[in-house]
Amino acid sequence: MAGWAKDQGVEGNDLITFMGDPSGALTQSLDVVLDHPGPMSVLGGPRCKRFALYAEDGVVKAINVSEGPDDPAGDEDPSASCAPAMINVIKQLEPLGKTEL
């Protein structure tokens, strides 16, 4: 995950945490298992859907999944799980007690 953070230019950033889920336990708990036959035929088994999650003090406040009826992997339109969409969702939540994000 450190390599991914470095590639994205956020290595050492305290605001973003990159986490893996090698056993799929979190993926299953969040109900974001990508088990559509199309992507599975290419990826070789169930994976995690493309999603972004916002949590405060360990409590999930928002989760956005990029998927569509004809796009189970969210490849054609990943915008729901990209930063601008998540920032909009976070801004609509109750005040965080902070002046800015």
Side-chain angles (χ1 to χ4, degrees):
M1 300 310 296
W4 189 18
K6 183 177 181 180
D7 179 68
Q8 297 302 303
V10 294
E11 184 178 35
N13 185 315
D14 292 337
L15 298 175
I16 299 173
T17 303
F18 285 78
M19 302 174 83
D21 183 23
S23 71
L26 180 63
T27 299
Q28 291 172 20
S29 295
L30 293 172
D31 194 26
V32 291
V33 176
L34 176 59
D35 56 6
H36 187 279
M40 281 182 40
S41 69
V42 176
L43 301 173
R47 299 291 176 112
C48 184
K49 293 179 181 178
R50 186 185 312 254
F51 77 96
L53 181 143
Y54 174 71
E56 279 184 55
D57 298 322
V59 177
V60 175
K61 300 290 187 171
I63 183 167
N64 277 6
V65 180
S66 291
E67 65 181 337
D70 296 325
D71 185 20
D75 291 335
E76 291 177 25
D77 183 12
S79 61
S81 59
C82 291
M86 287 305 294
I87 290 170
N88 286 334
V89 168
I90 293 166
K91 285 181 177 180
Q92 294 175 26
L93 295 173
E94 293 294 320
L96 303 175
K98 301 174 185 165
T99 58
E100 292 182 56
L101 289 176

